[in-house]
Amino acid sequence: KAGVTQTPRYLIKTRGQQVTLSCSPISGHRSVSWYQQTPGQGLQFLFEYFSETQRNKGNFPGRFSGRQFSNSRSEMNVSTLELGDSALYLCASSLAGQGMIDEQYFGPGTRLTVT
Amino acid sequence: AQSVTQLGSHVSVSEGALVLLRCNYSSSVPPYLFWYVQYPNQGLQLLLKYTTGATLVKGINGFEAEFKKSETSFHLTKPSAHMSDAAEYFCAVSVFSGGYNKLIFGAGTRLAVHP
């Protein structure tokens, strides 16, 4: 099976712009989670989507949003970029039905740099 | 609230020496625990997981971890370090939130292996 793929791998944006990142989960996985990784804050949970519905959300401002499509592919969007949004954004997929605890499989990440 | 503490942000060992990476968790319910490894410029890869049953869990690449409820610990070990083990290691606990599960990660431990 192909793993989790994320595009683009690297991105440079300017403050105030917006950005969209894409994630394709492992075939058959319906849950997609997004994480932000920075040297200062470590790995922080952004949100999780399952069957096109957001069912879990971390403590990030409304500038961070996401969606999931019927084929389970997911996008996250960050509007009005700030310097502090520079990070590695990781996507993870799992089978994870309700009440299930299932390991998450991570993609290689998108490195976002905001200048 | 559930949390994960990894003792030591940097650990350095000689090739062939024992690897011990420490993880303590805080959970009000029986936890599900995970160890992930991250190589440079890559996403996270699952090393091993503890859900229920046997408290000594074996993972990939010769790593294992032991769940000790009395000590609220889930330390990762490998009898003999290899140069290829140099990476960052993350301990995580699965948290039940809003009816679904999400992962809470520790801050990570960077393992260096020297000849």
Side-chain angles (χ1 to χ4, degrees):
Chain A
K1 271 188 182 177
V4 178
T5 58
Q6 292 186 246
T7 56
R9 290 292 312 277
Y10 302 91
L11 207 49
I12 300 175
K13 290 287 189 179
T14 304
R15 270 181 302 174
Q17 288 186 315
Q18 75 165 18
V19 67
T20 299
L21 312 181
S22 181
C23 171
S24 292
I26 290 173
S27 177
H29 286 190
R30 295 166 64 189
S31 168
V32 173
S33 299
W34 288 89
Y35 296 84
Q36 181 195 65
Q37 185 178 25
T38 61
Q41 300 298 319
L43 276 156
Q44 292 188 287
F45 173 76
L46 280 156
F47 30 65
E48 184 217 2
Y49 287 85
F50 184 86
S51 292
E52 302 179 64
T53 301
Q54 185 185 91
R55 64 180 189 181
N56 245 326
K57 191 176 188 304
N59 297 321
F60 278 81
R63 300 185 298 106
F64 292 82
S65 63
R67 60 177 175 170
Q68 187 179 34
F69 302 95
S70 58
N71 61 359
S72 293
R73 190 177 70 84
S74 177
E75 289 181 346
M76 67 163 282
N77 183 277
V78 187
S79 62
T80 319
L81 284 166
E82 300 177 0
L83 293 178
D85 297 333
S86 294
L88 181 67
Y89 289 89
L90 292 164
C91 163
S93 75
S94 70
L95 288 169
Q98 183 176 1
M100 286 178 56
I101 298 175
D102 197 13
E103 60 256 37
Q104 296 187 13
Y105 295 84
F106 283 79
T110 294
R111 171 81 59 191
L112 172 65
T113 302
V114 182
T115 62
Chain B
Q2 287 90 340
S3 65
V4 175
T5 302
Q6 291 184 240
L7 300 175
S9 58
H10 291 80
V11 170
S12 181
V13 300
S14 299
E15 192 174 20
L18 171 71
V19 175
L20 171 59
L21 305 182
R22 300 177 186 274
C23 172
N24 288 87
Y25 68 90
S26 168
S27 176
S28 57
V29 298
Y32 284 41
L33 297 160
F34 304 81
W35 274 100
Y36 282 87
V37 61
Q38 185 178 33
Y39 297 101
N41 298 315
Q42 293 187 29
L44 276 69
Q45 180 183 7
L46 180 69
L47 276 177
L48 48 81
K49 65 178 180 180
Y50 169 78
T51 54
T52 58
T55 56
L56 181 63
V57 180
K58 294 188 184 299
I60 63 172
N61 301 338
F63 284 93
E64 61 183 36
E66 186 171 11
F67 170 63
K68 292 187 176 181
K69 184 178 178 181
S70 61
E71 299 177 8
T72 62
S73 69
F74 190 56
H75 301 332
L76 182 71
T77 59
K78 182 174 180 177
S80 178
H82 192 271
M83 297 294 287
S84 61
D85 294 328
E88 189 153 22
Y89 293 79
F90 293 91
C91 182
V93 63
S94 186
V95 173
F96 200 71
S97 171
Y100 299 96
N101 295 291
K102 64 179 182 182
L103 285 175
I104 301 296
F105 285 90
T109 298
R110 189 168 297 277
L111 175 67
V113 182
H114 52 86

